[in-house]
Amino acid sequence: MSNIEKLKNAFVEGLEIPVEEVENATMDGVEKWDSIGQMSLVAIIEDAFGIEFEPDEVMQFTSFEAGKNILKNHNIEL
Amino acid sequence: MNVIITGSNRGIGKAMVETFAASGANIWACARKATPEFESWLNTTAKTNGVWIKPVYFEMTDAEAINAGIQSIIDDGQSIDVLVNNAGISTVGLLSMSKVEDIEKLFEVNYFAMLRVIQKVSKRMSRQKHGVIINMGSIAGIEPQPGKIAYGSSKAAVMMMTKCLAKELGPMGIRVNAIAPGPIETKMIHQYKDEVLEKLASETSLRRLGRTEEIARVALFLASDQASYINGEIIKVDGGR
Ligand SMILES: NC(=O)c1ccc[n+]([C@@H]2O[C@H](COP(=O)([O-])OP(=O)(O)OC[C@H]3O[C@@H](n4cnc5c(N)ncnc54)[C@H](OP(=O)(O)O)[C@@H]3O)[C@@H](O)[C@H]2O)c1
């Protein structure tokens, strides 16, 4: 599985949304993406990529796009 | 049930290891440093009770060491069902005779180190969608006493942290509670003179100091499904006051 697929899977599992909606997912637009959804989403991504989000990254993580940037900062190629 | 216990090499933490192991729990026994006595005691306790007990060593004032220690537990790949935050230090001193740096150090062990451990472990628990966290508070964080500014405030902070976390983590299926022991017979309390110990005992309705296993049994109860609807509570275990 490619890294981008792994990231999309995390969104599907963590936020319970269909894969087609993942690319446009934002915190405001996805019902389950509240502070609780955020925590499980972060935990799933951390496990999938073997990384650890810094607290300010958790704050900045408000969209799928932001998630991609965070992974890039951790030197994960997408 | 798989349980992390910090400060597990003596005092209340040691009694926790014995009590949890006797109930069939597997344990990551966290301590500051390895000693042959500690490891052989863990081996015997594990064998006697048919459970596994793994020592994990880290210094609570060292954030990187905490991180590495907890990561090694996570890397075991087992479910982490219970975290008992027991390690702590105590001091007595009037403010006029205390250095703020020493109070900071006490907060580092009693409060910030505990937060670091919880921050990492609760992520794992939230992934599992279940978990129990038990923090060691103290009566000293409820009843003001001269000389207890540092210790009492650190424990009050622990107990407020417990209540806030119960609200934050509850929706993820994680219960967070604290135990507030009164005076319990351990090395921590033997920093006091005999007269003080007698006074401490006389202040309790039961007229005696508590025993370590009397705290451990409450922790076991809070960890169990018997306590499945208890969340955000501070359980006083102090012989009545
Ligand atoms: N005893 C009481 O009357 C009483 C009353 C209320 C609350 N409590 C609370 O109950 C908990 C246990 O107390 P206790 O009476 O069992 O105390 P204790 O006998 O003094 O044991 C304290 C434990 O914490 C560990 N610890 C302390 N500083 C550490 C550090 N920097 N890094 C790693 N480990 C560290 C100690 O390890 P080392 O052996 O390496 O020092 C030891 O295992 C504490 O949180 C305490 O505040 C106790």
Side-chain angles (χ1 to χ4, degrees):
Chain A
M1 196 191 298
S2 70
N3 283 340
I4 196 78
E5 281 169 335
K6 274 207 267 184
L7 182 61
K8 285 184 178 175
N9 270 353
F11 274 71
V12 171
E13 186 191 333
L15 301 177
E16 297 171 27
I17 55 173
V19 70
E20 310 80 67
E21 290 177 21
V22 167
E23 284 196 355
N24 294 321
T26 62
M27 204 168 194
D28 290 337
V30 176
E31 196 194 333
K32 290 232 166 179
W33 198 346
D34 53 11
S35 57
I36 297 160
Q38 174 88 333
M39 209 170 150
S40 45
L41 183 56
V42 168
I44 294 168
I45 295 174
E46 285 184 340
D47 274 359
F49 292 96
I51 57 166
E52 201 156 349
F53 279 49
E54 294 296 328
D56 50 354
E57 289 175 326
V58 178
M59 291 265 290
Q60 287 156 16
F61 183 28
T62 54
S63 66
F64 179 73
E65 278 306 310
K68 279 174 35 185
N69 289 334
I70 292 166
L71 289 190
K72 280 180 197 151
N73 290 343
H74 285 266
N75 298 324
I76 290 163
E77 294 203 9
L78 294 169
Chain B
M1 161 159 83
N2 302 328
V3 185
I4 303 174
I5 302 172
T6 67
S8 66
N9 56 308
R10 62 181 159 96
I12 295 170
K14 187 172 184 188
M16 301 243 191
V17 171
E18 280 161 353
T19 304
F20 276 85
S23 83
N26 300 309
I27 299 167
W28 290 280
C30 305
R32 209 195 302 240
K33 52 186 179 302
T35 64
E37 300 77 44
F38 178 57
E39 298 211 339
S40 96
W41 169 69
L42 290 183
N43 281 335
T44 315
T45 310
K47 270 202 197 106
T48 315
N49 296 290
V51 298
W52 55 255
I53 307 182
K54 298 180 189 177
V56 182
Y57 299 106
F58 54 88
E59 161 62 57
M60 297 293 263
T61 53
D62 180 343
E64 276 180 28
I66 295 176
N67 216 27
I70 301 298
Q71 190 58 48
S72 73
I73 293 174
I74 292 172
D75 290 345
D76 276 350
Q78 312 260 1
S79 120
I80 303 174
D81 304 306
V82 181
L83 164 64
V84 184
N85 283 305
N86 167 74
I89 49 174
S90 164
T91 54
V92 185
L94 299 174
L95 183 60
S96 56
M97 297 176 193
S98 306
K99 282 199 204 136
V100 172
E101 290 73 19
D102 290 340
I103 299 180
E104 277 178 349
K105 187 171 168 233
L106 181 135
F107 263 77
E108 190 58 46
V109 177
N110 287 4
Y111 182 76
F112 291 109
M114 193 186 280
L115 266 190
R116 289 183 208 284
V117 172
I118 294 175
Q119 196 174 44
K120 212 161 159 66
V121 171
S122 64
K123 272 192 188 167
R124 164 66 31 183
M125 288 178 167
S126 74
R127 180 90 207 264
Q128 299 167 179
K129 304 248 183 304
H130 78 267
V132 177
I133 298 174
I134 300 162
N135 298 330
M136 291 305 281
S138 171
I139 282 296
I142 299 171
E143 294 175 9
Q145 293 279 350
K148 286 293 179 80
I149 296 211
Y151 182 68
S153 315
S154 75
K155 289 298 181 179
V158 164
M159 292 186 281
M160 182 48 86
M161 172 231 284
T162 301
K163 291 183 179 204
C164 294
L165 280 174
K167 294 216 178 257
E168 280 191 25
L169 300 177
M172 258 118 10
I174 303 169
R175 294 190 289 112
V176 192
N177 293 293
I179 300 173
I184 308 299
E185 276 208 62
T186 66
K187 201 169 166 188
M188 182 173 276
I189 206 160
H190 281 291
Q191 61 184 312
Y192 299 118
K193 295 193 188 100
D194 282 352
E195 312 85 90
V196 180
L197 291 181
E198 275 165 33
K199 183 172 171 287
L200 287 172
S202 73
E203 282 166 358
T204 72
S205 311
L206 294 178
R207 301 284 189 271
R208 66 171 175 83
L209 301 178
R211 293 185 284 268
T212 53
E213 63 273 20
E214 290 175 310
I215 302 300
R217 286 199 295 260
V218 178
L220 180 63
F221 165 70
L222 285 173
S224 75
D225 275 348
Q226 305 285 324
S228 53
Y229 207 49
I230 300 182
N231 191 23
E233 279 304 319
I234 312 299
I235 313 287
K236 286 207 270 176
V237 187
D238 61 1
R241 295 169 81 83

